[in-house]
Amino acid sequence: MKGVLLVNLGSPDSPTAKDVKPYLDEFLMDERVIDAPKWLRNILVRGIILQTRPKKSAKAYAKIWWDEGSPLIILSEKFTEKLRKQTQMPVALGMRYGSMSIKGALAELREKGVDDVLLVPLYPHYAMSSYETVVVKTLEEQQKHFPEMKVTTMPAFYKHPDYIRALSESIKEGLKDFEYDHILFSYHGIPERHIRKSDPTKFHCKMDDTCCSVNSVAHNTCYRHQVYDTTELVKAYLGLPDEQVSSSFQSRLAGDPWLKPYTDYEFERLAKEGVKRLAVITPAFVSDCLETLEEIAIEGKEEFEEAGGEHYKHIPCLNDNDDWVAVMAKWVNHWERSGKLDVVPVD
């Protein structure tokens, strides 16, 4: 029997330092998030970061927490429930970090008789610290606890026409009553070394703005190439002028070179160059979360206005958008019928 496993990032159980600390520990101790040797991660995470970060992060979570709970969890659950109504297969939701575990979601599917699972990492783009860690963790849990299960993984869908259409139409809706001077696509940042580590050729990715335009198998696992592709495809779909669109990267950690330009720097640069009305979209996420609701919708607005901007619009993620649900239903139902994926690796 076939079934679908959706996996997103996860969330602490509450916006308190007590619950944020174990969540951050699990997240930051992931070797695909902080890819240092375990002894060094222990020092960095448990000896330094977790001494102060939980209180700071708890305050940030408190700003965006809903009465029902974590926005990321609630939105992911709403999306899952809508998807269930458009497929005959059982659909379970798990999180890479936190108490809503991947193991629990697999157990839920097994209890319903599922032995053939379609894993859907809810990330449009491939990155070690998002897509890859979901796949690795799911396979670890499957092999350890559910060896009878078969797992098929949906590839990153960053340029699939169905996804681009749904994303573009949601942006169009978000811009309906907003006259913008500029649209900023802000993607989650990753260290530059993650790009090089993910390059199977070990020589293609140079991050000098030339390698992304040369076809290579490296593009299947190159986050930088994929996010810029998404921006270009949305820009083409909506007919947006080149000079009114740019991309940037948010949520970096200190100490290492991360993908540039940095979003907070872009807020200041754009405002000082005369942009008064800025729209921001965060396509690295399909569900709004701390990084979109606090860092972009709240902090970003303040940074842009402090630098001289006047009007700021955060466009929500796809969340449980009906068009996006229909796209996912089309993909999973195609797999159920044919055993093949409509979303396939590209380049």
Side-chain angles (χ1 to χ4, degrees):
M1 180 177 179
K2 290 183 175 181
V4 179
L5 172 60
L6 306 175
V7 182
N8 211 325
L9 175 71
S11 171
D13 291 335
S14 75
T16 64
K18 174 178 173 291
D19 283 336
V20 169
K21 187 172 182 177
Y23 173 78
L24 286 179
D25 181 76
E26 183 182 10
F27 173 55
L28 296 174
M29 284 300 294
D30 184 344
E31 64 182 351
R32 287 174 172 78
V33 174
I34 296 182
D35 55 325
K38 190 172 183 178
W39 66 267
L40 182 54
R41 286 204 310 279
N42 265 307
I43 294 173
L44 293 173
V45 175
R46 292 167 178 166
I48 300 174
I49 297 174
L50 292 184
Q51 300 307 308
T52 57
R53 178 68 74 85
K55 289 183 179 179
K56 181 179 178 182
S57 294
K59 290 179 180 178
Y61 275 108
K63 291 181 185 178
I64 59 101
W65 209 260
W66 293 349
D67 291 342
E68 311 99 292
S70 160
L72 172 66
I73 301 295
I74 300 302
L75 290 166
S76 298
E77 288 176 336
K78 288 181 177 179
F79 175 81
T80 302
E81 192 54 42
K82 285 187 176 181
L83 181 62
R84 286 179 177 134
K85 295 176 180 177
Q86 296 192 36
T87 183
Q88 298 299 312
M89 293 179 289
V91 181
L93 173 66
M95 297 288 160
R96 175 59 183 87
Y97 313 104
S99 58
M100 188 181 287
S101 69
I102 291 172
K103 178 183 175 183
L106 286 171
E108 177 186 330
L109 290 174
R110 184 178 64 178
E111 289 171 4
K112 294 179 179 178
V114 172
D115 57 8
D116 192 357
V117 178
L118 176 61
L119 167 63
V120 183
L122 289 172
Y123 299 100
H125 313 92
Y126 188 103
M128 281 174 53
S129 55
S130 55
Y131 181 98
E132 184 178 302
T133 190
V134 163
V135 175
V136 170
K137 180 66 173 178
T138 301
L139 293 178
E140 286 177 352
E141 297 288 11
Q142 175 263 322
Q143 291 164 13
K144 184 176 181 180
H145 302 287
F146 312 96
E148 74 283 1
M149 280 184 164
K150 174 186 174 184
V151 176
T152 301
T153 302
M154 182 179 290
F157 47 82
Y158 68 97
K159 67 183 295 181
H160 193 289
D162 293 340
Y163 166 71
I164 294 299
R165 176 182 51 78
L167 176 62
S168 300
E169 291 295 335
S170 75
I171 294 171
K172 183 191 294 185
E173 181 67 23
L175 292 171
K176 186 180 294 184
D177 299 316
F178 187 76
E179 294 185 11
Y180 61 88
D181 298 330
H182 196 87
I183 302 176
L184 181 64
F185 285 65
S186 179
Y187 295 93
H188 197 284
I190 62 173
E192 290 182 357
R193 69 176 179 278
H194 282 199
I195 301 294
R196 295 188 175 94
K197 278 191 171 185
S198 297
D199 178 3
T201 71
K202 301 306 176 187
F203 65 82
H204 179 79
C205 294
K206 300 178 178 64
M207 280 166 291
D208 59 0
D209 292 327
T210 61
C211 52
C212 281
S213 61
V214 178
N215 284 338
S216 171
V217 66
H219 292 173
N220 284 330
T221 53
C222 180
Y223 180 75
R224 186 179 187 274
H225 167 79
Q226 293 182 8
V227 300
Y228 280 118
D229 248 16
T230 296
T231 297
E232 290 303 312
L233 289 165
V234 171
K235 190 166 66 174
Y237 184 98
L238 294 176
L240 303 174
D242 287 344
E243 64 275 11
Q244 287 185 282
V245 179
S246 60
S247 298
S248 62
F249 301 90
Q250 65 192 75
S251 309
R252 65 190 180 278
L253 293 175
D256 292 310
W258 283 50
L259 293 180
K260 298 179 181 68
Y262 299 141
T263 295
D264 52 348
Y265 289 9
E266 288 298 281
F267 289 145
E268 182 176 355
R269 179 186 71 82
L270 289 167
K272 290 185 175 179
E273 289 184 359
V275 171
K276 299 299 182 184
R277 305 178 67 88
L278 178 66
V280 186
I281 179 69
T282 49
F285 306 93
V286 296
S287 304
D288 277 306
C289 54
L290 183 69
E291 286 83 354
T292 66
L293 297 174
E294 195 271 341
E295 185 176 353
I296 298 301
I298 299 175
E299 297 291 336
K301 182 175 187 292
E302 292 175 359
E303 291 166 356
F304 178 66
E305 292 177 348
E306 286 173 3
E310 296 177 0
H311 302 279
Y312 183 94
K313 172 79 171 184
H314 167 245
I315 299 173
C317 294
L318 287 167
N319 295 324
D320 63 335
N321 174 289
D322 288 341
D323 194 18
W324 169 227
V325 175
V327 166
M328 185 59 70
K330 174 186 174 184
W331 292 346
V332 301
N333 288 331
H334 176 81
W335 173 77
E336 181 191 23
R337 291 191 305 269
S338 68
K340 299 178 181 179
L341 292 167
D342 187 39
V343 184
V344 295
V346 294
D347 295 319

